[in-house]
Amino acid sequence: MTIPHDTIITSAHKAFAPALLHWFKDNARPLPWRESYDPYHVWISEIMLQQTQMERGVAYFERWTRELPSPSAVAQANEDDILKLWEGLGYYNRARNLMRAAQIMVDSHDGWVPEDKATLLALPGIGPYTAAAILSIAYEQDEPLVDGNVARVLARVFDLDAPVGETATQKALWALAAELLPAGQARNFNQGLMELGALVCKPRTPVCANCPLAELCEARRLGITEHRPVPGKKVDITPLSIATGVLINKGRIFIQRRHEDDVWGGLWEFPGGGVEEGETPEQAVVREYAEETGFEVVAQNPIRIIKHGYTRFRVTLHCFFLAAVNGLGPPALTAATAHKWATLEELDDHAFPAGHRKLIDALAEDERFHKLLTHSPNTP
DNA sequence: AAACCGTGGTA
DNA sequence: TTACCAAGGTT
């Protein structure tokens, strides 16, 4: 579908920007990066907030900027520390890209966040949205932007009847945003549009009574705000059965570091893998352990079953205590780049995927685990 | 273009 | 409980 945006913007929409700016002045949340609009802070916040809830993002932002107050600090940090700061946020490539981009800033851009679009877009992890957000919010340049919030607000105000995820619709949305943008006000206009989407023009229950754009809103006039934006096609959720195990030796626990280019790249984990057809979880964990480490193990007591989801998968994670059959030499790693024998306390220094972090939390409260740590056959 | 990359909150 | 959702980017 092509949207004739030059015809759907009318003289009535002259009120759009003033109304929005006035509303934002009174309703902007006191977010930490809004204190000074430091470009480094804006950059970090924009990457963190991608596909992430505001409340969680703020907590991670505070910790990150305290530990890493500048691009050069990010550039010099080691990847394990970066991933630990990101643990639990998901989409871990974002953290790795922050590090790579910071190194480019240090090497080529005087250690600072670039001020022009082409240079920003060349940095890893920065796409059209984030480049426009940095340019408008940090540097007050007249750049329009469209994120999920803006798309929803505009789809309602202009009654767009195509899914906002489609390429043609995106193109129209960016054109609309550009046309509505008041010169010299991009910082507050763009943030106001997103803030309105987050606080008032919400996905399920828009609060039109509080909306400064209600008089302009075509979906509201037609009583179809719940049907705008129109939904795209949904992805199928695939159930996954995974088995993993905790191998203890001399009071220490075996962990390994995942390959960089894999899911959860660079994070630490307990070895394991998918339960195959006709296989029990116990058999799976023994087989996977042998494949990934060369260790011959036996599954002992089940620890618990953990449910968690990622992207389009729904995982049932079967967790077992393991014991080594033979003496343990160095592992022959096939699914990892490094391994460690860690104490319970040392586990906390490493970044784990959420499912495995849940397992660690369960272990810490499990009496059987503490007994195995101190009374296993191979106690030191 | 479409698949992939995580997670926890919410209705 | 399930399904959808959140300040996207990369391949």
Side-chain angles (χ1 to χ4, degrees):
Chain A
M1 162 190 141
T2 54
I3 297 168
H5 65 267
D6 52 343
T7 62
I8 59 180
I9 289 192
T10 69
S11 59
H13 294 106
K14 283 176 186 165
F16 190 108
L20 182 68
L21 289 166
H22 183 267
W23 176 87
F24 184 63
K25 185 155 56 66
D26 294 337
N27 294 277
R29 289 170 290 185
L31 302 171
W33 49 90
R34 287 179 178 166
E35 290 169 10
S36 68
Y37 289 113
D38 179 311
Y40 171 67
H41 288 178
V42 171
W43 169 46
I44 298 299
S45 70
E46 287 302 335
I47 302 296
M48 275 190 174
L49 289 171
Q50 288 170 10
Q51 306 294 288
T52 302
Q53 296 169 323
M54 176 64 76
E55 198 158 323
R56 283 166 54 76
V58 168
Y60 279 85
F61 174 88
E62 303 273 24
R63 189 175 64 166
W64 178 286
T65 51
R66 190 165 62 242
E67 303 278 329
L68 305 169
S70 67
S72 68
V74 178
Q76 291 166 26
N78 75 56
E79 189 174 316
D80 272 316
D81 292 338
I82 293 277
L83 290 172
K84 183 64 189 175
L85 282 169
W86 207 265
E87 183 184 28
L89 263 188
Y91 291 126
Y92 295 92
N93 261 333
R94 290 183 294 168
R96 222 185 319 282
N97 284 337
L98 277 177
M99 193 167 60
R100 291 169 53 206
Q103 288 162 356
I104 295 171
M105 289 180 197
V106 168
D107 291 342
S108 309
H109 306 308
D110 301 319
W112 202 229
V113 182
E115 294 187 50
D116 74 273
K117 196 193 293 188
T119 311
L120 283 170
L121 286 172
L123 295 172
I126 295 183
Y129 164 78
T130 305
I134 292 170
L135 292 173
S136 61
I137 298 172
Y139 293 121
E140 300 195 86
Q141 294 180 27
D142 287 337
E143 287 287 337
L145 59 74
V146 175
D147 74 327
N149 288 307
V150 177
R152 184 172 57 257
V153 171
L154 297 182
R156 284 177 176 154
V157 172
F158 293 96
D159 185 32
L160 306 186
D161 62 0
V164 294
E166 291 178 356
T167 306
T169 317
Q170 278 292 315
K171 192 176 172 192
L173 286 165
W174 280 80
L176 270 175
E179 205 151 339
L180 293 164
L181 180 70
Q185 305 273 17
R187 169 186 285 173
N188 288 329
F189 180 81
N190 285 345
Q191 288 191 101
L193 216 37
M194 294 189 281
E195 199 88 331
L196 186 71
L199 300 180
V200 175
C201 196
K202 299 184 286 186
R204 288 181 174 83
T205 54
V207 193
C208 299
N210 297 342
C211 183
L213 305 178
E215 297 296 316
L216 297 171
C217 185
E218 187 65 3
R220 177 174 172 274
R221 190 181 71 78
L222 297 170
I224 56 170
T225 53
E226 289 171 29
H227 302 290
R228 295 289 180 273
V230 301
K233 53 175 180 280
K234 61 174 184 240
V235 294
D236 295 333
I237 300 299
T238 304
L240 231 44
S241 185
I242 309 262
T244 189
V246 177
L247 177 61
I248 300 165
N249 186 48
K250 297 179 181 171
R252 291 172 179 272
I253 306 132
F254 185 86
I255 58 175
Q256 61 181 10
R257 193 172 193 268
R258 297 180 59 86
H259 286 295
E260 297 281 343
D261 54 357
D262 206 351
V263 192
W264 300 299
L267 272 68
W268 294 80
E269 66 169 8
F270 306 105
V275 180
E276 292 177 359
E277 195 71 29
E279 194 178 44
T280 66
E282 287 91 336
Q283 293 169 327
V285 71
V286 169
R287 174 183 52 75
E288 288 283 346
Y289 229 91
E291 290 173 6
E292 295 189 349
T293 68
F295 290 158
E296 189 181 346
V297 301
V298 292
Q300 302 185 299
N301 297 327
I303 301 171
R304 54 167 292 188
I305 292 173
I306 290 169
K307 306 245 183 195
H308 71 107
Y310 71 96
T311 58
R312 61 181 193 84
F313 300 101
R314 185 76 199 160
V315 177
T316 303
L317 185 63
H318 302 265
C319 310
F320 298 91
F321 288 119
L322 303 176
V325 173
N326 302 316
L328 293 166
L333 300 178
T334 61
T337 57
H339 80 282
K340 280 185 185 175
W341 287 97
T343 64
L344 176 58
E345 293 73 28
E346 285 169 345
L347 291 184
D348 278 341
D349 298 332
H350 298 75
F352 285 82
H356 287 217
R357 178 52 68 186
K358 288 180 192 170
L359 170 55
I360 293 170
D361 291 345
L363 283 173
E365 314 229 323
D366 193 319
E367 284 184 28
R368 298 172 300 172
F369 175 64
H370 291 281
K371 254 176 204 159
L372 285 168
L373 277 182
T374 51
H375 301 296
S376 63
N378 295 315
T379 295

